[in-house]
Amino acid sequence: MAEIDRDALDAQTGGDSDLAREVLVLFAGECNRLVQGLTDAALPALRRAEIAHTLRGSAAGIGAGRVQARAGTAEACLRAGSPEAGEAVAALAEAVAAAVAEIEAGA
């Protein structure tokens, strides 16, 4: 399964492949930075929920559907103080890693 929906990305970038690549590189960099805070259990849950929210919006903008869905779940769990929050954050971090790997591979 492709982590990035190329049709959605093309729609966002008007089919400009150079712009698409630039957007993907920016997304990967943002992900690498944000996942550090997301997985830091010492941060307050609401701060981590805000990070998940940011990831969700960014993922929606490039067609990273799995990241978007898992970010929504993690955000909801963190805001609710759910015992499943840790599992949801781990699933989100896994989805982010897969998307970043795809981007870095140039797929």
Side-chain angles (χ1 to χ4, degrees):
M1 176 176 131
E3 298 297 324
I4 308 297
D5 178 339
R6 297 300 170 161
D7 291 336
L9 180 60
D10 283 348
Q12 291 295 325
T13 60
D16 183 329
S17 61
D18 290 334
L19 178 58
R21 185 74 193 142
E22 184 178 337
V23 168
L24 289 174
V25 168
L26 289 171
F27 175 75
E30 178 181 48
C31 284
N32 289 330
R33 180 179 56 80
L34 291 175
V35 164
Q36 292 176 6
L38 178 71
T39 58
D40 183 353
L43 284 180
L46 289 180
R47 175 65 189 122
R48 294 168 66 208
E50 291 169 359
I51 293 169
H53 180 82
T54 298
L55 281 168
R56 184 169 57 110
S58 295
I62 66 154
R66 191 162 71 113
V67 172
Q68 182 182 358
R70 290 190 176 177
T73 300
E75 179 184 2
C77 286
L78 287 162
R79 288 193 190 283
S82 169
E84 288 87 26
E87 186 177 309
V89 166
L92 173 54
E94 177 186 301
V96 166
V100 169
E102 183 176 300
I103 291 165
E104 290 175 349

